[in-house]
Amino acid sequence: MTSSIFPSWLGGYEVREHVKNPNITVGEHTYYSGYYHDKHFEDHCVRYLLGDHSSRAVWESGIFGEVDQLIIGKYCSIASGATFMLAGNQGHRHDWISSFPFDVSKFGGKVKSGFERAGDTVIGNDVWVGSECVIMPGITIGDGAVIGARAVVTKDVEPYAVIVGNPGQKVKKRFSDPHIAMLLEMKWWDWPMKRLQENMDVMCSNDIEALFERYQRFEV
């Protein structure tokens, strides 16, 4: 297989440098490795979000007002073919008698708008999003979580949880609760580059307590 966008499955690109939709926000260093699907992140991974190239004019007209946002943190790793479903604005109301989005021009003036926000989809920092997984609208995924390949995420994910399957289920936490608390306090993803560089020897290990000890000295 050859790819016109990604020269190898070994690499990717920083997502924020390629996003054009005003309703997508991505933190620094988050990357997409889309070799096996050979499309840009916004074209393949983000579905049904107003403001993309096919709906930009509708979005700019303002008729929908505020819409759900896709917000992705820093240092996330997004594998080929992952899908973020932003379908909360599409009018398919499954709490109504019919989920069909009736068109007022065909079905008359009594048609009601089915527009309903599902809420922003928020991906934390240092989240690993596996190949071809699906994240449903309005989901919040906590910092440090891992979403397994082809998992379907239908509910919020706590920090540092590992999620697999359909529907996605937590199979474990990456670390103990005390260690997770340390990581969430440190928020290493907000550190300046120089500080990260100075601590790469511990960052590239499982010694959370050693990093936390250094962090405590930073704060003094």
Side-chain angles (χ1 to χ4, degrees):
M1 172 184 173
T2 59
S3 171
S4 61
I5 300 172
F6 302 92
S8 166
W9 55 264
L10 291 168
Y13 62 51
E14 192 163 344
V15 176
R16 67 177 184 163
E17 295 178 355
H18 294 266
V19 165
K20 298 177 181 177
N21 190 320
N23 294 311
I24 301 174
T25 302
V26 183
E28 61 184 348
H29 305 294
T30 286
Y31 76 92
Y32 176 56
S33 181
Y35 176 80
Y36 290 107
H37 294 79
D38 195 27
K39 289 185 177 180
H40 283 293
F41 172 81
E42 187 174 337
D43 293 333
H44 184 89
C45 298
V46 184
R47 307 292 176 91
Y48 308 111
L49 179 60
L50 284 171
D52 65 5
H53 63 86
S54 70
S55 64
R56 192 62 174 259
V58 176
W59 160 248
E60 291 178 347
S61 75
I63 62 174
F64 282 96
E66 294 297 320
V67 301
D68 297 338
Q69 308 282 304
L70 174 59
I71 303 167
I72 303 175
K74 305 173 184 176
Y75 295 95
C76 292
S77 305
I78 304 174
S80 192
T83 299
F84 300 85
M85 296 291 290
L86 276 293
N89 306 124
Q90 301 308 307
H92 297 279
R93 293 289 299 271
H94 58 77
D95 57 326
W96 288 1
I97 291 172
S98 174
S99 63
F100 188 83
F102 296 106
D103 186 340
V104 66
S105 66
K106 181 178 291 187
F107 293 95
K110 292 185 177 181
V111 169
K112 298 178 182 178
S113 171
F115 179 92
E116 183 179 43
R117 294 186 64 177
D120 296 340
T121 297
V122 180
I123 313 301
N125 305 282
D126 190 29
V127 175
W128 180 7
V129 181
S131 182
E132 297 184 352
C133 72
V134 177
I135 298 171
M136 298 304 288
I139 296 297
T140 294
I141 296 178
D143 298 324
V146 172
I147 309 301
R150 295 190 173 177
V152 178
V153 182
T154 61
K155 58 185 178 181
D156 291 351
V157 175
E158 64 184 305
Y160 291 93
V162 178
I163 304 296
V164 301
N166 180 8
Q169 301 292 326
K170 182 178 76 174
V171 292
K172 65 177 182 179
K173 295 181 181 180
R174 289 177 57 192
F175 307 111
S176 68
D177 287 341
H179 284 168
I180 290 173
M182 291 177 187
L183 289 163
L184 293 176
E185 179 179 333
M186 288 188 286
K187 298 185 185 297
W188 64 260
W189 41 83
D190 289 333
W191 293 1
M193 181 60 72
K194 186 174 186 297
R195 179 176 290 182
L196 278 173
Q197 291 171 338
E198 291 170 347
N199 290 279
M200 275 294 117
D201 57 327
V202 183
M203 287 291 299
C204 297
S205 78
N206 61 2
D207 197 345
I208 297 169
E209 292 181 12
L211 187 64
F212 192 70
E213 289 175 6
R214 294 185 186 184
Y215 161 78
Q216 289 178 310
R217 292 199 294 271
F218 300 152
E219 298 303 302
V220 173

